[in-house]
Amino acid sequence: MRLSFWGTRGSISTPGPDKVVYGANTACVSVHSKDRILILDAGVGIVQLGDRLLAARKPKEPLRLHLLLSHLHWDHLIGLPFFMPIFFKNIELTFYGRRVDEITSATERLFTSTYSPIKGTENLGASLHYREIGETPQHIDHFRVFTRPLRHTARCLAYRIEADERAVVYASDHEAGDPNTDEGLISLCSGADVLIHDAQWTPREKADSQGKGHSSWADAVDTALRAGVATCILFHHDHRRSDRALDDIGRRAARRAGDRLEVIVARDGMLLDP
Amino acid sequence: MKLTFYGVRGSYPISRKDNVRYGGNSTCMYVTTADGSEFIMDGGSGVVNLGYEMMGREFGRGRGRATILVGHTHWDHILGYPFFKPFYVPGNEFTFVSAGQIGLSIQDILSGQQHDLHFPVRFHELAATIRYRQIAIGERLKLNGTTIHTFQVNHPGITLAYRIEADNAAIVIITDTARIHAARLGDGMGGPDPDPAFTAQYTEELTAFCHGADILIHDAHFYEHEIQGKEHWGHATAEDALKLARAAEVNTLALFHHAPEHSDAQVEEILLTTQDLARGDPLQIVAATEGMSLEVTEEE
């Protein structure tokens, strides 16, 4: 299994000279196993993934893509209008999420003439499909996919993806602190290798941001320690956080984790083979 | 009158190691006049950074006032508004100037962007006082000492160019437009070319609209070789911008709406090529850069 991080920020992409190392693209991660791929979220990072997929594709070769959506806030969708595979025939894109009606209305809003020169999803080349995903484990391609609800300002899902005898959990937008939800997430992480976890805030910022639906890097580390995963990826960085500040967070988080847990601060373009 | 660029990139904000110099934020400009009036053109991701700066002034204390000029409402021009901090401070006052889109007002459009599914705060719940001035295409309005003219340009949907006149100076902003010979207002992609009489009239009117401006900010999204087959996508080249700048006898041309795929080296190449073409012209040409300010001082 290979993980590719295309976008690792939350809220909105505001690139700048102080965000070059970690990047500023919003959430998108792809999970690869042999020649198969699952995509997690469609923030701005998905644009570069799309270009890569097309470059690797033989002309007119059919391609089946699966996009798992944690929720429908813009930082998890806004890259889709520039995800080039969506313009090609012979490409099938299936969206997965909590509710088909909500995902459908979100994609229609993305491409409607008010906001987009494409003027409607009917003008896209790819065929779009929508599937609901609940807590019953599902096979998608040759991946096994499990979900649990997270605590956020919108209904949001965590995903566990298994392939090649590896398991990764993606918990992008989540405010730690509700015992039931936290237990659910920890049980989803059982025996997993990697936990990708919301780390929007510093602990001090989190104290002033109750109810805003995000965790601190310390919450991410603590959850990973409780769940017993090998690697914790700090994800969904505040859109203003500088490279220097993220370096500092990485050092503090590693100290908190001690020897039992590897902590990595996610950055755009990062690859990881669990 | 002073104009500062906060976002110069078209299509979407993009973070890459090779586009840091010109900047990766999507469209936003900020204009101030001698009488203290403030204008924001476009709410791409650049408006977020502008907002943080404004919070350090009277907007942080709920005593700021600005007019927001809406060219059009594709994502790259509006996606920053939900993260514009001065909207969250009670007491601040903003007026959106917009022609909306067909059948939709700017309130409808921005409320749609802040639908529950997509953002945790609804647009009508913002703390600042927000007013709307729905204008007709081509309308001209007077706001204190500033005169604003509008002109519909060729880009899918309703897209307005603005001419801002104050302090005896004029700035024209055309963020997105197809090249003139592909003129087809309000639609854009696909379909046959319009008849030559329409193109001639459009060209004449657009040139008059820009005439004598101190600064022309113009779409320069494509290289010449890239626009082939995409003439109707609603974007132009630097050569198109130069042609209009010459015909309209403007002083400064700022190339704008850099393609997200273009690196700093490519934007610079486009700039140098255009400057070469204009050698000997009394015309200054720059590539819009995040943080760059252009100032037009009043002539005595």
Side-chain angles (χ1 to χ4, degrees):
Chain A
M1 181 194 276
R2 161 163 284 191
L3 303 175
S4 294
F5 292 81
W6 303 94
T8 57
R9 294 274 172 179
S11 306
I12 185 168
S13 290
T14 53
D18 60 342
K19 296 170 210 158
V20 173
V21 176
Y22 291 93
N25 295 326
T26 46
C28 177
V29 176
S30 57
V31 185
H32 304 253
S33 165
K34 302 185 179 73
D35 61 341
R36 304 306 173 89
I37 173 173
L38 277 191
I39 307 167
L40 290 157
D41 282 338
V44 166
I46 201 172
V47 179
Q48 281 158 332
L49 167 60
D51 295 345
R52 196 66 66 84
L53 289 170
L54 287 180
R57 170 184 181 246
K58 296 181 196 81
K60 298 194 178 161
E61 181 188 17
L63 201 56
R64 280 192 175 166
L65 299 171
H66 304 278
L67 171 60
L68 310 181
L69 294 170
S70 61
H71 63 308
L72 302 169
H73 283 169
W74 290 127
D75 48 334
H76 300 259
L77 277 181
I78 199 72
L80 211 52
F82 295 92
F83 179 61
M84 286 300 141
I86 210 165
F87 296 100
F88 286 78
K89 292 205 165 69
N90 282 333
I91 291 186
E92 223 179 86
L93 175 62
T94 307
F95 296 83
Y96 299 82
R98 273 189 66 254
R99 288 177 57 147
V100 163
D101 58 342
E102 292 181 352
I103 310 170
T104 313
S105 94
T107 51
E108 277 167 8
R109 185 170 284 117
L110 260 184
F111 289 97
T112 191
S113 64
T114 309
Y115 302 115
S116 161
I118 305 306
K119 294 191 257 172
T121 50
E122 65 274 19
N123 297 319
L124 298 170
S127 61
L128 307 185
H129 306 273
Y130 303 92
R131 301 260 183 282
E132 246 154 47
I133 191 158
E135 290 194 22
T136 318
Q138 285 198 21
H139 281 275
I140 300 176
D141 232 332
H142 74 246
F143 300 91
R144 280 192 87 198
V145 178
F146 307 70
T147 76
R148 283 287 185 285
L150 293 172
R151 183 188 186 207
H152 189 50
T153 51
R155 292 199 189 90
C156 185
L157 291 178
Y159 287 96
R160 175 190 175 107
I161 296 160
E162 295 180 358
D164 309 336
E165 296 171 354
R166 291 284 180 276
V168 55
V169 173
Y170 176 79
S172 177
D173 291 43
H174 174 57
E175 181 169 343
D178 171 64
N180 279 340
T181 319
D182 291 353
E183 281 315 313
L185 175 58
I186 284 168
S187 73
L188 188 67
C189 293
S190 170
D193 301 278
V194 177
L195 168 62
I196 302 165
H197 195 289
D198 186 332
Q200 165 100 12
W201 313 117
T202 64
R204 190 177 300 170
E205 289 165 349
K206 168 118 190 271
D208 297 333
S209 308
Q210 300 292 323
K212 290 193 176 173
H214 296 290
S215 291
S216 71
W217 57 261
D219 295 326
V221 169
D222 294 351
T223 305
L225 285 168
R226 282 178 64 197
V229 300
T231 304
C232 174
I233 312 276
L234 305 181
F235 190 77
H236 199 285
H237 310 308
D238 185 286
H239 74 96
R240 297 186 78 190
R241 192 90 59 206
S242 69
D243 289 330
R244 275 181 61 183
L246 284 169
D247 282 343
D248 185 52
I249 284 174
R251 279 189 294 271
R252 287 163 189 261
R255 271 204 299 278
R256 189 178 186 99
D259 303 333
R260 288 177 296 158
L261 175 69
E262 177 189 31
V263 180
I264 299 173
V265 182
R267 60 185 157 72
D268 298 358
M270 180 173 93
L271 302 175
L272 189 80
D273 298 317
Chain B
M1 199 160 37
K2 182 178 172 187
L3 178 142
T4 306
F5 295 102
Y6 284 84
V8 298
R9 202 57 63 169
S11 306
Y12 51 92
I14 184 74
S15 167
R16 294 203 327 226
K17 289 181 173 51
D18 63 356
N19 76 0
V20 174
R21 199 171 76 197
Y22 290 102
N25 284 296
S26 72
T27 63
C28 177
M29 284 156 276
Y30 176 62
V31 176
T32 51
T33 63
D35 69 2
S37 300
E38 304 186 34
F39 298 90
I40 298 168
M41 175 81 193
D42 274 0
S45 69
V47 86
V48 183
N49 292 331
L50 170 60
Y52 288 118
E53 271 187 34
M54 291 167 79
M55 290 297 282
R57 300 189 279 111
E58 63 274 33
F59 290 90
R61 301 187 295 275
R63 295 163 75 175
R65 259 181 176 207
T67 302
I68 300 176
L69 307 176
V70 179
H72 71 303
T73 56
H74 289 160
W75 291 119
D76 49 332
H77 299 261
I78 63 167
L79 56 78
Y81 289 132
F83 301 93
F84 181 64
K85 287 294 173 210
F87 280 166
Y88 293 82
V89 182
N92 286 337
E93 294 180 28
F94 295 94
T95 303
F96 275 92
V97 173
S98 171
Q101 291 296 340
I102 297 148
L104 290 173
S105 69
I106 188 69
Q107 296 102 298
D108 298 331
I109 295 165
L110 296 176
S111 301
Q113 176 170 229
Q114 294 190 211
H115 186 285
D116 288 349
L117 279 180
H118 307 301
F119 196 73
V121 183
R122 294 185 201 186
F123 194 74
H124 70 262
E125 291 168 353
L126 294 173
T129 301
I130 297 181
R131 300 191 177 91
Y132 305 93
R133 176 122 184 207
Q134 172 82 27
I135 55 167
I137 291 167
E139 191 170 331
R140 101 181 19 200
L141 45 150
K142 193 119 175 86
L143 300 167
N144 299 321
T146 307
T147 307
I148 309 277
H149 306 235
T150 59
F151 185 89
Q152 187 182 10
V153 289
N154 181 37
H155 188 72
I158 296 174
T159 302
L160 297 183
Y162 282 87
R163 180 180 176 114
I164 306 170
E165 290 180 353
D167 312 340
N168 285 325
I171 297 176
V172 174
I173 303 175
I174 305 177
T175 64
D176 297 51
T177 185
R179 57 178 23 167
I180 283 170
H181 81 248
R184 191 188 296 106
L185 294 182
D187 184 0
M189 305 163 92
D193 273 339
D195 74 274
F198 173 80
T199 302
Q201 189 197 341
Y202 171 82
T203 307
E204 194 185 317
E205 288 175 7
L206 178 62
T207 308
F209 177 77
C210 300
H211 192 263
D214 296 272
I215 302 169
L216 168 64
I217 293 153
H218 194 287
D219 186 337
H221 185 96
F222 288 122
Y223 274 103
E224 283 299 321
H225 69 266
E226 288 172 333
I227 203 171
Q228 306 308 320
K230 298 176 181 171
E231 289 90 346
H232 302 305
W233 282 27
H235 294 296
T237 69
E239 279 189 43
D240 296 323
L242 175 61
K243 210 177 289 175
L244 179 60
R246 278 172 160 165
E249 301 178 286
V250 307
N251 290 334
T252 299
L253 168 65
L255 306 175
F256 187 75
H257 204 285
H258 308 312
E261 305 82 29
H262 288 174
S263 66
D264 286 332
Q266 289 173 304
V267 174
E268 186 173 26
E269 184 184 21
I270 289 171
L271 172 65
L272 294 176
T273 308
T274 316
Q275 285 172 335
D276 265 357
L277 289 172
R279 188 149 302 185
D281 281 25
L283 172 67
Q284 186 197 9
I285 304 173
V286 299
T289 306
E290 251 177 60
M292 171 193 273
S293 291
L294 300 172
E295 199 156 358
V296 242
T297 45
E298 195 163 351
E299 283 167 33
E300 293 303 320

